[in-house]
Amino acid sequence: MSLAVVNSRALCGMDAPSVSVEVHLANGLPAFTIVGLPDAEVRESKERVRSALQNAGFDTPPRRITVNLAPADLPKDSSRFDLPIAVGILAASGQLRRARLDEFEFAGELSLSGELRPVRGALAMALAMQRSARPRAFIVPRANADEAALAAGATVFPASNLLEVCAHFARDGVKLERHLATLRVTAPDYPDFSDVKGQPTVKRALTVAAAGGHSVLMVGPPGAGKTMLASRFPALLPPMSEQEALESAAIHSLNGSFSADQWKVRPYRSPHHTTSAPALIGGGSVPRPGEVSLAHGGVLFLDELPEFERRVLEVLRQPLESGTVTISRAMRHSDFPARFQLVAAMNPCPCGYKGHASGKCNCSPDRIARYQDRISGPLLDRIDIQIEVHALAPEFMVADADGEPSAAIAGRVAAAAALQVARQGKPNQRLGTREIERLCRPDPEGEAVLRRSMLKFQWSARSYHRVLRIARTVADLAGSPDVRAPHVSEAVGYRRALANRPAGTPMLAVDDG
């Protein structure tokens, strides 16, 4: 029989639908045709496969070879189909035993010598295989073994070359050995908060943000320490859960950037302000995850926020609310998780020295307003904590750093995060409207503070709910089961860069003192 069917997987966002690689050998002039909506990488595989078969000591059948990647209406991309195509040709030509072939799925790129090279998306394929009605064993390149084995219960067989794969199916051949995940959690090497001089208010705001999963905007002059504080923020976050770590690893696997050393290390992404909207949110003819998805479970730091194009920043509004990104194209749409903590920094004016003690800012109110208007009100409304970072006084700069170490702050954050998980199963930032009314309602004195603030600052419903979430986090840090007036007052203070501004002033008013 000159027909063989080999199982593999395509990639469609985080999903990996099953693909049947059908290989048929027919009489006629020698030819090699691949059908089933293959892209350029897949079409080029016939040259790699032909050379790999010859250099591995196999015969390339001098017949008409037709490879169909079914289903035919699903676009196929990447070089992961090299290995299943080669196995299919060997099985169809009788050079490989068909016995037990249907019990396996294959993915891998072939070099011209027959060596197996890693492919992206191995973890996503292994996860989809385990969710299927008939889980199979998975043969992958050795470099992909660790990430594929992260899928719980997956049977992964790593191979170094095509000969090892073929020997596994031979009667007397050397069998491949099942691979078990050997990833170890390594302590992330983040800079420490003890290096930061002064700025107790900002440190407190970042502690609250880390404890409740809140987004942060820091506004201050150049050299005040905004970037230094942001780079140390990941050290405060609670440890990643298994589910978070698996989702983060799967996204990085799709992008080809998975590293075993980064297992359970929260990602920290800091794209340059020239970043395009597709690079930030994801995109491409074959949708790939963007920076917001690569930061899933970690931190997305946007420095010099007004320098980003406004249309680029606007794409953040939907993922900040929903925690997901949907990339739609004519032939497909892909969903990527994007639940990250946004940490942003900006200067208060074009020259950067509005409110500086030196008094050297000469920006007019119109220039300041135009500069700050690069950030839309709806986007600012979605940023929970907006805090001013003042320049350090000379006596602080010359003094020794004596700040609290990250480990001590992280301990308090972890305790508050554990309270939230025990109470509602998720961070406070992700509470819905009904949950806010039930879990975040303040006591009578706190409610009076909240009412006065609402009347004074004319908050939107979104701002009102965000203040309640922050107040709940402040109470959790204090170990209080109830939200009290001091907790509400602190939460209101964290919205002052947006809300507490006199009418007619720029959107972000920084105190001159």
Side-chain angles (χ1 to χ4, degrees), residues 281 292-293 318-326 335-340:
I281 204 71
V292 296
S293 295
Q318 184 258 343
L320 279 173
E321 289 287 332
S322 66
T324 60
V325 169
T326 299
D335 296 320
F336 299 104
R339 199 168 293 284
F340 57 92

Side-chain angles (χ1 to χ4, degrees), residues 113-135:
S113 64
E115 299 295 317
L116 281 175
R117 290 174 173 159
V119 294
R120 63 181 185 86
L123 177 54
M125 288 186 281
L127 290 170
M129 185 180 63
Q130 285 306 103
R131 292 193 298 264
S132 65
R134 184 186 175 185

Side-chain angles (χ1 to χ4, degrees), residues 268-309:
Y268 177 80
R269 308 291 297 188
S270 180
H272 192 261
H273 58 74
T274 56
T275 297
S276 65
L280 189 64
I281 204 71
S285 56
V286 178
R288 296 278 192 94
E291 292 290 340
V292 296
S293 295
L294 294 172
H296 178 72
V299 178
L300 178 67
F301 176 50
L302 301 183
D303 201 3
E304 305 295 344
L305 191 65
E307 300 302 328
F308 285 80
E309 291 187 26

Side-chain angles (χ1 to χ4, degrees), residues 385-437:
I385 296 175
Q386 299 154 23
I387 193 74
E388 300 164 14
V389 184
H390 296 287
L392 283 180
E395 58 268 23
F396 282 104
M397 283 191 270
V398 299
D400 294 333
D402 59 351
E404 190 177 14
S406 297
I409 304 174
R412 298 196 298 271
V413 167
L419 281 176
Q420 296 164 36
V421 171
R423 183 177 59 235
Q424 70 242 3
K426 55 188 173 182
N428 289 333
Q429 195 276 334
R430 293 166 55 185
L431 291 174
T433 303
R434 291 185 179 180
E435 294 170 313
I436 291 172
E437 296 296 330

